[in-house]
Amino acid sequence: VLEHNQTDLAALRNLPGDANLETAEQLAALPARLEEIVSSSASGPAHDAALMLGIVTRQMSAPVLPVVEVSRSSYSSDDAPASAAADGQWNVIDVKNMWQYPAGKRPLIVLDLGEVPTVAGVRIWNFNLPGNTHRGWKDVDIFVSETRSLLTPVAQGLGPPAPGRADVGDYSTTLSVPFVRGQYIKIEPRSVWRDDGYAGVTEIEVVGF
């Protein structure tokens, strides 16, 4: 499945030139077939493979995985604590509902899922403080592990700036993770859009199954 050059199964766009009618019919039936497999089978190879294919081809949305706690963070304060990044509130413009920290150092936050699911992505709502959205995350590394030792990033991505408003709808971006099993998720931004005193993020969700 080719994702970043806009392959579109529903519109049969960017498929090989020799795709015939039978292939087109199979692809048209794919979403319903995936739903059937997922709903009719318990967790196992067929269920997980169908769910994985549905997520990769954007026929299905990956479920949100509950975060038990913020296991570790490089910095936290009473006014804008690290725990605010996993409090379920993203449609906010008050810094007390965001994680804010001094800039000039490489921050990190570790989320504990409490179990070991398959992680498909990390959803980020960037720093949404009006007039300060340039302080949001830009280049982001994601680590996933079954233990607290998170040494090698499994995915990287770009976090676009937030709108700086709370009346514009969902402004999140999902950074894809290559279906890695793990309990601990470390998110480590390597840069912000403009570093001028402090930085932060509004909300983080982990998705998978």
Side-chain angles (χ1 to χ4, degrees), residues 28 35 45-46 65-66 70 75 79 98 113 116 127 130 145-146 173 187:
E35 289 282 359
L65 299 172
V70 175
Y75 182 86
D79 295 331
M98 308 176 198
L113 303 180
V116 186
F127 197 60
S145 176
E146 296 186 20
T173 186
I187 302 99

Side-chain angles (χ1 to χ4, degrees), residues 42-58:
S43 182
H47 173 277
D48 292 353
L51 190 53
M52 188 181 301
L53 183 57
I55 293 169
V56 169
T57 57
R58 304 185 188 279

Side-chain angles (χ1 to χ4, degrees), residues 112-124:
D112 182 356
L113 303 180
E115 54 184 9
V116 186
T118 297
V119 178
V122 171
R123 197 176 183 191
I124 294 174

Side-chain angles (χ1 to χ4, degrees), residues 3-4 58 120-122 142 154-156 174-178:
E3 181 177 346
H4 294 292
R58 304 185 188 279
V122 171
I142 299 171
V154 299
Q156 298 175 326
T174 300
L175 308 182
S176 296
V177 173

